[in-house]
Amino acid sequence: MIYAIAAKDLKSLFTSPVAWVVLTFVQLVLGYGFLKRFDDFMQVQPQLMQLPSPPGFTEMVAAPTFASTAAILLFAVPLLAMRLISEERRNQTLVLMTSAPVSMLDIVLGKFLALMGMLMLILGLVAIMPLSLSLATRLDYRMLASMALGLTLMAAAFASVSLYVSSLTTHPIVAALGAFGALIAMLFMGENVAEGLSAKGYAVPAALAQIFSPVKNFEPLGKGVIDSHAVVCLLLLIVLFLAFTTRALEAWRLRG
């Protein structure tokens, strides 16, 4: 049943003009940035060859492209997620779905997988950019894999937060703005709170606070370092907000 819900919502995403506008905008911006960085890399390559350990194509072109993708996802994910639950609540179609023999968790996971399907398309197109030059330059595949893992986990974290906000309202625009605000708050507050607690010697609370800083947790993975603590923090954030979404919808169903 989860996959049936995911297939229905993924089809709905692909028939939405918002999704195509977001997809087109993301690819245009990232494609232009990638080509610009590649051109700059080719121009400075003679100077780089004089260095004892020169940075390669992966460090100078691919890594900034993945970092730019992380920043763009802050805007793209709330827009893609805004209609998945809020519009169904507004149109009363969610009532019909909950009357079927399916759990609320199945509904949430189905919508999460549908959103991740769209996001994986975006991330796959981003990954193709550096891989398309694999025969013309030397790539650091370990670093690429780390960045791809980090970007996937961070996109999933953004998706879970955006779905939770979408479950709290019947207005898609409010859901998009609320999700964007929540992600921006996490960007600034999560890291500052974690650093403040760590400076005071509260190691465990600081580690827990880092869960709410997905961009901070992406940083080591974006540099090619598989940080187990960062990976666990991202996974916990995903699970936590999926649980919040399920609980919010359960409460909505009980209220009638």
Side-chain angles (χ1 to χ4, degrees):
M1 196 64 181
I2 294 175
Y3 297 108
I5 296 171
K8 177 186 76 68
D9 284 321
L10 186 58
K11 182 179 179 180
S12 176
L13 279 173
F14 275 107
T15 57
S16 168
V18 174
W20 286 106
V21 169
V22 170
L23 184 62
T24 302
F25 174 78
V26 170
Q27 292 309 308
L28 286 175
V29 172
L30 294 178
Y32 173 79
F34 176 80
L35 293 175
K36 181 66 170 62
R37 293 185 185 98
F38 179 66
D39 182 61
D40 293 341
F41 174 72
M42 295 300 296
Q43 291 185 18
V44 301
Q45 197 169 23
Q47 290 86 352
L48 294 176
M49 296 302 296
Q50 299 177 8
L51 300 175
S53 298
F57 173 85
T58 306
E59 292 86 353
M60 293 198 65
V61 181
T65 300
F66 276 78
S68 298
T69 306
I72 290 177
L73 287 177
L74 275 170
F75 302 90
V77 176
L79 290 174
L80 293 173
M82 65 180 183
R83 298 175 57 193
L84 287 177
I85 298 179
S86 62
E87 191 168 56
E88 291 216 36
R89 284 187 55 188
R90 184 178 62 179
N91 296 336
Q92 299 298 315
T93 53
L94 192 60
V95 175
L96 299 175
M97 191 177 297
T98 55
S99 64
V102 57
S103 70
M104 199 62 75
L105 178 60
D106 289 345
I107 295 174
V108 172
L109 290 178
K111 293 183 177 297
F112 175 73
L113 289 178
L115 182 54
M116 284 305 299
M118 175 63 76
L119 294 176
M120 290 307 297
L121 173 61
I122 294 175
L123 300 185
L125 292 173
V126 173
I128 287 174
M129 294 181 191
L131 292 176
S132 64
L133 297 174
S134 59
L135 297 179
T137 187
R138 182 177 298 177
L139 298 176
D140 186 340
Y141 290 100
R142 175 184 172 85
M143 186 175 183
L144 284 175
S146 174
M147 291 188 297
L149 172 63
L151 206 55
T152 301
L153 290 175
M154 191 178 65
F158 288 175
S160 64
V161 173
S162 299
L163 277 180
Y164 172 65
V165 177
S166 181
S167 71
L168 301 178
T169 179
T170 58
H171 302 285
I173 298 299
V174 174
L177 293 175
F180 176 69
L183 293 176
I184 290 295
M186 287 183 177
L187 174 63
F188 293 104
M189 295 179 61
E191 182 177 351
N192 291 334
V193 171
E195 290 180 352
L197 290 172
S198 179
K200 294 179 180 179
Y202 301 121
V204 174
L208 293 175
Q210 192 174 334
I211 294 174
F212 298 95
S213 184
V215 176
K216 177 68 174 179
N217 292 321
F218 168 74
E219 289 180 0
L221 296 166
K223 297 176 182 176
V225 179
I226 304 295
D227 187 335
S228 58
H229 180 255
V231 171
V232 170
C233 284
L234 287 167
L235 290 174
L236 286 175
L237 183 64
I238 296 166
V239 173
L240 185 63
F241 274 91
L242 289 178
F244 285 166
T245 306
T246 304
R247 182 67 186 88
L249 292 181
E250 289 284 5
W252 166 78
R253 180 166 62 177
L254 290 175
R255 291 194 304 268

